[in-house]
Amino acid sequence: MSKLVHAQWSSKMTFVLAAAGSAVGLGNIWRFSYMVGDSGGAAFVLIYLACVALVGLPILVAEWLIGRRGQENPINAMADLARRNGRLPAWAVVGASGVLAAFLILSFYSVIGGWSLSYTLGSVTGRFTGQDADAIGALFGSLLGSPGMLTLWHTAFMALVIFIVARGVTKGLEGAVRTMMPGLVLLLIVLVGYGMTTGHFGEALAFMFRPDWSAVTGGVVLAAMGQAFFTLSLGMGIMMAYGSYLGEDVNLIGTARTVIILDTVIALLAGMAIFPIVFANGMSPADGPGLIFVNLPVAFGNMTGGAILGLMFFLLLTFAALTSAISLLEPVVELVEERTPLSRVAATLTSGVAVWALGIAALMSFNVWGDFLIFGLNIFDLLDTFTSKVLLPLTGLGAILFVAWCLERQSVASELGLAGGTERLWHLVARYVAPIGVIVVFVTGLL
């Protein structure tokens, strides 16, 4: 196939919004804030930021650099750059691993996105009004137990993702993030404002930010390192694909800092929105998905103005899911579009339907295929475990090793605008610190 003329982001700001939108996902809305509160508060935040600087940022910059230099899908970009630098074309497996990870993750991520859509409608129709925890738990159990309902919502969510991505970089990706990211932030600010009126805002802030160094253990440091890696959408081919639409005028390190700050601030704002409601209703912040899909609906259903607040919260959750989902589909579509004669629309439909089909298998893990296990895991959990513990760290490791060891050092320094001490620090971190950090996360994840 001849190389397509690549689309470009219309501005640095839209690229930042797209990258931040990819990073801000369902996990940010509850998991990061809970980890902060349960792992030392401000102490954990400081450790997390250090891990981001030493592991997350170098790999993020490396993936963008590969994408920008290659100006193609992750597989072609890795193969072409390896060839140009006298390296084995087998480095393309790093790109392939990332695209595969994105494909597999989106298949089950879309199922959870469907839950969010279902709960958004439930908030509009007053389904949660006056219900207790048992009733809401039964509603959630009924949803999981119905392959028909899960398929309906999974299909609706994937249809939205396909529609956005099919419109291309400028009309699709940019148009979506320009609308959804400001909307997400606005919804968060309103919900934080409500949290301040509950009488438990101070308790939430203490839970999240009071430094408790005694809570910091080796396991907490590893959790911070893992969160720093996974929260930035690393190892999924996303950042390579997004980097391929970047112009030469964008400062990669400065932009990476901006994306990391946005991602972290939004995650912390989510905690400041959620935990005052949690504490005001005597709930546990440690309930994970149950907190989002069982406990919070109980709170919304039994408070003044709860219908509106519930709608806003599940809209927020849906926006976060969509911005991540469109980024997950993009590297797959980019690959299909560049390696086949298919148009953008046809490539998106083909890729999206394939993801949707695998998602059907994932959602059936909760009902009719609940007893079908592979290595002791149902299909949903197997997809989650294989991608998070194997594909993502190995892809990220491959990307940073390639940039640090296979590309000419001076050309990388020049492209990143580094010289003297800053260049030597980058070289040290990229060659040794970041790879060792990923290897530690990978090995401990398998144990």
Side-chain angles (χ1 to χ4, degrees), residues 14-183:
T14 52
F15 168 66
V16 167
L17 288 175
S22 175
V24 176
L26 294 171
N28 286 65
I29 302 302
W30 68 269
R31 185 172 183 270
F32 176 69
S33 300
Y34 164 68
M35 290 174 69
V36 170
D38 204 45
S39 305
F44 177 86
V45 174
L46 292 174
I47 294 168
Y48 165 77
L49 292 175
C51 292
V52 164
L54 297 174
V55 178
L57 186 145
I59 297 175
L60 178 60
V61 169
E63 293 195 10
W64 283 346
L65 188 147
I66 289 169
R68 182 162 72 177
R69 285 196 177 187
Q71 291 289 297
E72 293 181 273
N73 66 79
I75 298 176
N76 286 10
M78 287 296 303
D80 289 351
L81 286 179
R83 197 177 304 113
R84 279 188 252 157
N85 288 272
R87 307 293 177 174
L88 293 173
W91 277 101
V93 75
V94 175
S97 174
V99 174
L100 176 62
F103 180 89
L104 296 179
I105 291 170
L106 182 53
S107 69
F108 66 85
Y109 195 89
S110 174
V111 176
I112 304 173
W115 300 350
S116 183
L117 276 181
S118 171
Y119 272 62
T120 303
L121 180 63
S123 299
V124 173
T125 59
R127 188 190 308 165
F128 311 129
T129 302
Q131 302 284 357
D132 60 17
D134 290 339
I136 299 294
L139 281 173
F140 188 50
S142 175
L143 175 64
L144 294 186
S146 170
M149 290 304 297
L150 285 180
T151 299
L152 172 66
W153 290 112
H154 164 58
T155 302
F157 186 83
M158 275 306 303
L160 285 172
V161 174
I162 290 169
F163 174 76
I164 293 168
V165 175
R167 289 167 59 82
V169 174
T170 303
K171 292 181 179 179
L173 301 182
E174 290 191 2
V177 298
R178 278 186 186 143
T179 302
M180 286 190 286
M181 286 303 291

Side-chain angles (χ1 to χ4, degrees), residues 51-338:
C51 292
V52 164
L54 297 174
V55 178
L57 186 145
I59 297 175
L60 178 60
V61 169
E63 293 195 10
W64 283 346
L65 188 147
I66 289 169
R68 182 162 72 177
R69 285 196 177 187
Q71 291 289 297
E72 293 181 273
N73 66 79
I75 298 176
N76 286 10
M78 287 296 303
D80 289 351
L81 286 179
R83 197 177 304 113
R84 279 188 252 157
N85 288 272
R87 307 293 177 174
L88 293 173
W91 277 101
V93 75
V94 175
S97 174
V99 174
L100 176 62
F103 180 89
L104 296 179
I105 291 170
L106 182 53
S107 69
F108 66 85
Y109 195 89
S110 174
V111 176
I112 304 173
W115 300 350
S116 183
L117 276 181
S118 171
Y119 272 62
T120 303
L121 180 63
S123 299
V124 173
T125 59
R127 188 190 308 165
F128 311 129
T129 302
Q131 302 284 357
D132 60 17
D134 290 339
I136 299 294
L139 281 173
F140 188 50
S142 175
L143 175 64
L144 294 186
S146 170
M149 290 304 297
L150 285 180
T151 299
L152 172 66
W153 290 112
H154 164 58
T155 302
F157 186 83
M158 275 306 303
L160 285 172
V161 174
I162 290 169
F163 174 76
I164 293 168
V165 175
R167 289 167 59 82
V169 174
T170 303
K171 292 181 179 179
L173 301 182
E174 290 191 2
V177 298
R178 278 186 186 143
T179 302
M180 286 190 286
M181 286 303 291
L184 186 151
V185 173
L186 180 61
L187 287 170
L188 266 179
I189 291 172
V190 172
L191 287 169
V192 170
Y194 173 79
M196 292 179 178
T197 71
T198 62
H200 292 264
F201 192 70
E203 186 181 355
L205 292 181
F207 174 73
M208 291 177 60
F209 296 117
R210 180 179 293 152
D212 180 9
W213 293 101
S214 66
V216 177
T217 64
V220 167
V221 174
L222 283 173
M225 192 179 298
Q227 180 70 12
F229 183 85
F230 298 124
T231 191
L232 296 175
S233 297
L234 303 178
M236 307 177 195
I238 293 170
M239 295 307 176
M240 289 188 200
Y242 277 15
S244 72
Y245 304 129
L246 268 180
E248 295 295 329
D249 58 324
V250 174
N251 181 300
L252 297 184
I253 292 181
T255 305
R257 282 197 298 263
T258 303
V259 169
I260 287 166
I261 290 169
L262 273 174
D263 178 57
T264 305
V265 167
I266 288 173
L268 293 175
L269 279 175
M272 287 185 271
I274 292 171
F275 293 133
I277 298 172
V278 170
F279 292 133
N281 289 273
M283 300 173 181
S284 168
D287 287 342
L291 175 70
I292 299 299
F293 293 107
V294 178
N295 290 353
L296 281 178
V298 174
F300 292 137
N302 291 277
M303 67 170 64
T304 303
I308 295 173
L309 288 170
L311 173 61
M312 292 176 66
F313 177 77
F314 286 109
L315 271 177
L316 164 71
L317 204 63
T318 301
F319 282 179
L322 277 172
T323 56
S324 293
I326 60 177
S327 68
L328 285 164
L329 187 57
E330 180 59 32
V332 183
V333 171
E334 186 184 35
L335 173 66
V336 174
E337 187 182 11
E338 293 180 356

Side-chain angles (χ1 to χ4, degrees), residues 332-420:
V332 183
V333 171
E334 186 184 35
L335 173 66
V336 174
E337 187 182 11
E338 293 180 356
R339 298 288 285 264
T340 72
L342 296 178
S343 66
R344 172 78 182 193
V345 173
T348 306
L349 283 171
T350 302
S351 305
V353 169
V355 169
W356 172 85
L358 183 56
I360 296 295
L363 66 85
M364 291 179 74
S365 300
F366 297 106
N367 35 74
V368 294
W369 288 356
D371 295 328
F372 178 69
L373 304 177
I374 302 173
F375 303 120
L377 300 171
N378 63 33
I379 296 173
F380 188 100
D381 291 336
L382 179 67
L383 290 168
D384 184 12
T385 300
F386 178 59
T387 52
S388 65
K389 293 189 175 182
V390 179
L391 289 182
L392 300 193
L394 289 183
T395 304
L397 179 63
I400 192 65
L401 289 177
F402 181 78
V403 169
W405 290 90
C406 297
L407 298 184
E408 201 271 318
R409 176 173 174 176
Q410 191 52 49
S411 73
V412 172
S414 176
E415 184 167 346
L416 298 181
L418 301 174

